[in-house]
Every structure is written in C-alpha cells, then in structure tokens.
Amino acid sequence: MSMICVPIMVEESQAALLDASLAQAKGADLVEYRVDLLFEERDDESLQDRMDRVLDLVKESPLPCIVTCRPHWEGGDYHGDDDERISLYEALGTSDHPPAYIDVELATYTRSANIRQKVNLAVDHPKQQRKVTTRLILSSHDFEGRPSDLTRKIIAMNDEPACAVVKIAYRARSIRDNLELFEILRDRQKPTIALCMGEFGLMSRVLAPKFGGLLTFATLRSEETTAPGQPTIDELLNLYRFRSITATTKVYGIIGWPVTQSMSPLVHNAGFEKIGWDGVYVPMPIAAEQRDDAGSAASLKATLTQLFDEENNFYFAGASVTIPHKEHTANLDLYALNESCDQVRRIGAANTVSQLWYDHGDPVGLRRDGFYLDNTDASAIAKLLQASLSELEESKIVLLGAGGAAKAAASVSMRFGANVYIANRTESRAQKLIDQLYENSDDGYIGTAHTLPIEQVPTRMADAYINCTPVGMTGGPDPEGLSIPIPDMPPLPPETVFFDTVYNPIETPMLKAAKERGYRTIDGVQMFVKQAEAQFELWTGQAAPDGLFDSLVREKLSETPENQS
Ligand code: NAP
C-alpha cells in the first residue's frame, strides 16, 4: 500500500509540529520535515544548537518522518556547509528518537568515501553494526526535465547496499513522461518513489499505488507545494480516492489545454465512488500553442497512441476531450469506427474517447477492438432542446458562435430537423462551418443551416437562441457581455428558449436578461452535466447516479464570488 507523506518546510518548530498534527488528522501516514531553513546557520549559534533544534522536532513529531536538508543546488534552500549537514544526519540516525528516513541526494552520497561512511553510520543496512532504525532514501531531482542519465542513476541507487529507498523526481514535459516512471516502479528492485513534477506530473502522484510506489507527497494547503504539481492531501484522498486505487484500477482523464479548472474529475470520481467502479479520473493536459497548431495535434496523437498501447496493466479506459483537442481527436485515425464515430466525423469534433469494459452490463475487460469516439456535447444539447421545445423538427434556432460547441449544436439540431441560423463574429467561419456540415452529411440532414449577420440577431425570430461563444463567461473575453442582445429585441413568446453553454457563472448576463422577461432558460451546467452523464454511461455501462453530478457542480460553483448573489 502506498503511503501519503506531507512535506513541511520548517521555519519554526512549533508551527511545523502543528502542521504535522493536522496532517495526521487528515490521514497522512508520514511527514517530511524539510529542515533547509531550520538548520541554516544563525547568529551566535553552535552547530550543536542547530542540530538540537532538528533533533527536538523529530522527537516531538506526531507521525513517523523523513528528515531532509536539501541543498540549493538540488532545488532546496540550504546554503550552508555540507559537512555540517551530514553531521546532522549522523546525529539523527544515532539519536534516541530517530526519524524513519533521511533523504540524501545521490550526488552528495557518491561525492566522497567520507560522506558515504558518515551517512552509513546513521542508517540501517546489511553491514550495520549499531542498533539504528533510520532508513536511507537516496534521491535525485531534476527541475528541468528527464535527466539524460536516469537509468544510470537508478542502477547506482539500487547498487548501494545502504540505500533502502530509491527516489526519482523530475519535471515532466508531457504526460508521457509519467508512463516511463510507472515502468520504473514496476521494475523496481527496492522500494521506490518515482514522481513527475509540474502540471504534467499529477498523474504520477495520484497513480503511485497502482504501480507500487512507496509513497506520494501531498500538501496540507494548495499554496504550500515543495515541488510543483503536488496535490493537496484533501484532493488526493477525497477527489482522487487514493486509498481505493489498486493495480487493477482503470484510468480515465480529461484531455485538453488547460485542464486545471475542469470540473470533470470532481463528477466522474464521485460517480465511480457511488457505483463502486474501480476507476480513477485524472487531468491529462496536452499542451497546445494555438488552436489549429499541427504540433499540438501530433502531440495528441502520440499521447493517445501511447496511452492506448500501454501494456502492463495501465488500463487506460477513456477520456473526456476539451478545448483545443476536440477537432484533433475527431480527425485521428486510431480508432475502431462505430456508429457514434460516424457522428463525430460529421460534427468534426469529439469530446469522448471510450474503451468498452462491459457488454450488456457485464465487464469484459480491455477490448482493443472497442475504442470509440463520441460527442456527448451534441447528445446533451439535443436532449435539453427536446425537453424544452415542443417540437425540434422545423423549429428555428439562432446559434451564436462557430467553434466546437456551435458545430455540435448545429449538427444535432439539423439532424432532428431544425432550421439553424448561425451568427458569428467572424462571418466567414460561420459559412465554413455550414459548408462542413453539408459536406459531411452523407446520410443527409433533414434540417437546414444558414449564416446570419451578427447585427440581424435581434430581429431574427426563433424558437431557441443558443450562445456557443465565451461571452458572459467569468475570466473570458467579455464577462459582462450579453451574447444575445435581449433588451434590443421585440417581445417574444414566453416559451422562447434561451440556452447558454457557458457554465460559469451559472446565471450569465444573457440568462439573467431572459429570466427577467419570463422566457425559458437552459444553463451551461445542465449541458455540462448531461454530457458528463453520457460519458459516464459509455465508460461504465451504468447510468450516472441520479442528480449527483448536478448537485456537485452547482455546489462547487456556488463557492465562487461570481455565483453568490
Ligand atoms: P471555440 O471553438 O473557441 O469557439 C469560440 C467561438 O466564440 C468562436 O466562434 C468565436 O468567434 C466566438 N467568440 C470568442 N470570443 C468572442 C467574443 N469576445 N465575442 C463574440 N464571439 C466570440 O470554443 P467552443 O469549444 O465552441 O466553446 C464555446 C463556449 O461553449 C465556451 O465558452 C464554453 O464555455 C462553452 N461550452 C460549454 C460546454 C458545457 O458543457 N456547458 C461544453 C462545451 C463548450 P470567432 O470565430 O470570431 O473567433
């Protein structure tokens, strides 16, 4: 079972001990005291005084601990003398209240026979004569990227008889770097900690138990990371359900750039928990310079291929896909085609990748012939429109925007026989979208599509108006903006529907104006929830727990200032 270790940057012992108690209360197995600053030389203090500060801290610790005094040249804050640092380790290991582990950099340990000898006196190893229990973690950190001599380092650590734990940490340049670390964990000869730093590395921290990692680091507070990309202990335990992850756990994720604000991990992990599904859902960021950039499409393809082909029980079972990779995903030629893949090609955007794990409700395991694409944005929009309009066939729909969401909305509305009027800031893009829709409609749409100059939106009478632009979105280009100028429009029948795909804030300026005039509204949370529920069903063969996703998203959004009235 992998442990959770909370790192504590110690400046003052009492505060550190309070944090260690809090870590214990939250469910941590151990803490790492980073004593770089505590052990730093201060005026008029002897080496013994400085060592006593650390020894007292360890003595009082409510949890077993790792003690690390990390030098600045390996990413730490200690600028003092190396011999003194080694003397500290020696004193700790041979004290009456020793730490469970000390962490010494491989580069330090291999620098001289003298250092090795001193460290070896303090730790438990096969030739140890003394009664010591502290175990040695030999570590290597690279904050730039994967070290070119990674294999050599791992061999060197494994070959050191005094090394009880191998620790490798480096900055991931893409989520593919995590996969190599998982291999290192699987091939380990000794207990091993293998973690990727940075936002691409979160997967390695969450999935450590799946591959037998000795521990993962999690912070007490979100702003307190000792290495970039660390989750908080609350996220690890409650969001990712760390304790339930085992070798057989299936891996799902959200692919996009950026994905840090996504609410998909919240809903899918909670859904898995509720139905007892052995799965975990993690962010899978794939960097993109710009939207139509060929490089980001290539990187998406390489990543998906590697996840898909990953052997050794990785069990990549599905992903949500978001901006800017929806179009790239639809154009990939990696997948078995099925009926929904055809629909994806027609829309030109995919938001779901899924691996079939069940057949009529029975789990069948990983089926390499059953890797499918879907666009649940489209099915969500269709369901919501069908529930709000008396008849979708022959209805008139005005759509704002010509991006991925607009494509899904236009395509599905036309399929159900609606006449769609597309207004976009860049009119040529609206025309291009319509051309694509007709081009890909080999089996024919029963509805029609037309461009609409944006200034004619207020005078175009319709049964439904759908905003598929980020206008009105918190943090977007025009958060106060009205995507559809309702105050400039003549009075409409009360059954007219105003649908905003933006979900933060829940009540956008456009929805507020529509509600004030008594029109029907559909908010972006309803769409988000419907598309997520459809994904969940594709992945598990079971309906998403009734109302769970909706309540989680509304509760989460209600914590933000823009949703507090
Ligand atoms: P996209 O592909 O980037 O398209 C954005 C569209 O918005 C483009 O047509 C763009 O016009 C237009 N636009 C951007 N800024 C604008 C501005 N300041 N004024 C007027 N028009 C502007 O994005 P997308 O994937 O379609 O997503 C669009 C919106 O849908 C997002 O805000 C997202 O919140 C929402 N969405 C919601 C869900 C959900 O589950 N609720 C799912 C998917 C999307 P140009 O062509 O002129 O650039």
Side-chain angles (χ1 to χ4, degrees):
M1 195 186 82
S2 300
M3 297 183 285
I4 298 179
C5 178
V6 168
I8 298 173
M9 288 298 287
V10 189
E11 289 186 43
E12 194 273 308
S13 298
Q14 280 316 310
L17 289 169
L18 282 176
D19 276 354
S21 298
L22 186 57
Q24 183 180 37
K26 282 181 179 282
D29 302 293
L30 72 166
V31 287
E32 179 190 29
Y33 294 117
R34 281 283 302 273
V35 298
D36 320 7
L37 295 170
L38 188 73
F39 187 61
E40 200 67 70
E41 218 171 334
R42 298 178 197 174
D43 290 344
D44 300 332
E45 265 191 331
S46 66
L47 174 61
Q48 191 58 51
D49 288 341
R50 289 158 55 210
M51 291 207 292
D52 284 348
R53 262 204 306 269
V54 181
L55 288 162
D56 287 347
L57 173 72
V58 174
K59 185 176 163 192
E60 301 296 325
S61 182
L63 278 175
C65 66
I66 304 172
V67 177
T68 307
C69 183
R70 184 80 71 222
H72 62 95
W73 49 263
E74 183 118 346
D77 286 324
Y78 181 74
H79 289 81
D81 185 282
D82 241 7
D83 286 343
E84 293 184 349
R85 193 164 66 93
I86 302 305
S87 300
L88 169 68
Y89 289 139
E90 197 184 340
L92 283 164
T94 54
S95 75
D96 292 339
H97 300 278
Y101 301 93
I102 55 170
D103 176 328
V104 179
E105 310 74 40
L106 177 69
T108 301
Y109 186 78
T110 52
R111 190 175 308 139
S112 76
N114 185 36
I115 291 179
R116 269 199 303 282
Q117 193 184 12
K118 279 185 154 185
V119 171
N120 287 359
L121 284 174
V123 295
D124 183 28
H125 59 86
K127 291 196 176 153
Q128 179 58 269
Q129 304 286 320
R130 303 182 185 186
K131 276 190 117 185
V132 288
T133 55
T134 298
R135 307 183 81 208
L136 175 63
I137 300 174
L138 278 186
S139 64
S140 162
H141 307 80
D142 196 318
F143 291 83
E144 298 297 319
R146 180 195 181 281
S148 54
D149 57 350
L150 180 65
T151 311
R152 186 195 64 75
K153 282 180 165 151
I154 294 168
I155 292 171
M157 291 175 190
N158 277 310
D159 284 351
E160 287 296 344
C163 171
V165 177
V166 170
K167 179 185 175 194
I168 291 287
Y170 60 84
R171 176 175 281 276
R173 298 146 304 172
S174 78
I175 57 171
R176 283 182 279 159
D177 278 343
N178 295 284
L179 302 179
E180 186 180 5
L181 279 191
F182 296 148
E183 247 171 69
I184 292 170
L185 285 177
R186 274 186 300 242
D187 297 343
R188 68 187 179 276
Q189 293 169 26
K190 293 183 174 179
T192 299
I193 305 164
L195 299 167
C196 274
M197 294 185 276
E199 66 176 308
F200 296 110
L202 180 66
M203 191 199 277
S204 71
R205 298 176 182 279
V206 174
L207 299 184
K210 189 170 163 59
F211 302 102
L214 178 71
L215 60 82
T216 201
F217 292 96
T219 58
L220 276 182
R221 305 168 189 92
S222 53
E223 68 281 8
E224 276 181 359
T225 58
T226 50
Q230 283 173 357
T232 64
I233 186 167
D234 290 332
E235 286 166 347
L236 206 58
L237 287 171
N238 304 326
L239 176 61
Y240 299 113
R241 301 154 52 242
F242 186 78
R243 301 284 190 215
S244 69
I245 298 173
T246 66
T248 60
T249 301
K250 296 174 271 297
V251 180
Y252 303 82
I254 167 93
I255 289 175
W257 183 257
V259 291
T260 37
Q261 297 303 316
S262 171
M263 268 186 290
S264 297
L266 174 73
V267 296
H268 288 299
N269 282 317
F272 292 157
E273 158 116 65
K274 189 83 179 170
I275 68 162
W277 188 255
D278 186 13
V280 61
Y281 187 104
V282 292
M284 295 181 173
I286 299 182
E289 291 291 316
Q290 41 182 289
R291 196 178 185 81
D292 298 322
D293 151 44
S296 69
S299 142
L300 171 82
K301 182 168 180 173
T303 308
L304 274 174
T305 307
Q306 210 172 330
L307 289 172
F308 182 37
D309 289 345
E310 185 68 7
E311 304 278 349
N312 301 322
N313 304 338
F314 182 74
Y315 298 148
F316 174 54
S320 313
V321 183
T322 186
I323 294 174
H325 293 303
K326 288 183 186 183
E327 283 91 349
H328 300 151
T329 305
N331 293 327
L332 289 172
D333 49 10
L334 292 174
Y335 308 93
L337 281 182
N338 68 345
E339 208 179 298
S340 51
C341 289
D342 290 345
Q343 192 188 315
V344 162
R345 303 239 191 274
R346 201 178 298 120
I347 298 168
N351 78 332
T352 314
V353 175
S354 49
Q355 173 81 278
L356 290 192
W357 280 86
Y358 58 90
D359 192 6
H360 302 293
D362 296 326
V364 292
L366 184 141
R367 281 186 16 190
R368 292 194 176 278
D369 61 332
F371 218 78
Y372 297 133
L373 296 184
D374 228 303
N375 192 317
T376 64
D377 287 339
S379 52
I381 292 169
K383 275 189 192 157
L384 290 165
L385 286 176
Q386 281 165 332
S388 298
L389 291 173
S390 52
E391 193 61 71
L392 194 47
E393 193 170 345
E394 297 200 357
S395 64
K396 288 195 187 74
I397 294 178
V398 167
L399 247 181
L400 272 283
K407 253 187 217 172
S411 173
V412 80
S413 302
M414 285 170 72
R415 235 175 122 61
F416 284 100
N419 301 306
V420 184
Y421 299 84
I422 303 174
N424 192 44
R425 183 177 63 176
T426 313
E427 208 174 325
S428 58
R429 209 172 158 205
Q431 185 57 55
K432 197 172 157 204
L433 192 164
I434 290 171
D435 294 345
Q436 277 173 353
L437 288 170
Y438 281 117
E439 219 171 87
N440 298 334
S441 66
D442 33 8
D443 59 350
Y445 287 117
I446 52 171
T448 59
H450 318 264
T451 55
L452 177 68
I454 211 139
E455 61 282 0
Q456 288 182 22
V457 169
T459 52
R460 171 63 64 174
M461 294 301 101
D463 302 292
Y465 296 79
I466 310 179
N467 173 41
C468 294
T469 78
V471 173
M473 181 174 82
T474 304
D478 187 6
E480 306 293 328
L482 268 175
S483 49
I484 297 163
I486 297 173
D488 303 342
M489 296 166 80
L492 300 165
E495 60 274 16
T496 308
V497 173
F498 284 86
F499 180 171
D500 208 330
T501 60
V502 169
Y503 65 73
N504 193 20
I506 302 172
E507 188 173 90
T508 60
M510 185 269 270
L511 290 181
K512 188 164 188 279
K515 275 186 190 162
E516 280 166 4
R517 285 160 183 78
Y519 304 137
R520 291 185 190 171
T521 57
I522 302 172
D523 64 39
V525 173
Q526 286 170 271
M527 174 173 164
F528 176 82
V529 166
K530 279 265 179 302
Q531 63 78 31
E533 286 177 341
Q535 292 179 327
F536 187 86
E537 193 161 345
L538 283 166
W539 295 332
T540 64
Q542 299 179 48
D546 196 19
L548 177 71
F549 288 12
D550 192 79
S551 61
L552 284 171
V553 173
R554 288 183 196 278
E555 190 184 316
K556 184 79 188 166
L557 287 172
S558 70
E559 292 165 9
T560 60
E562 55 274 15
N563 288 297
Q564 282 161 7
S565 47

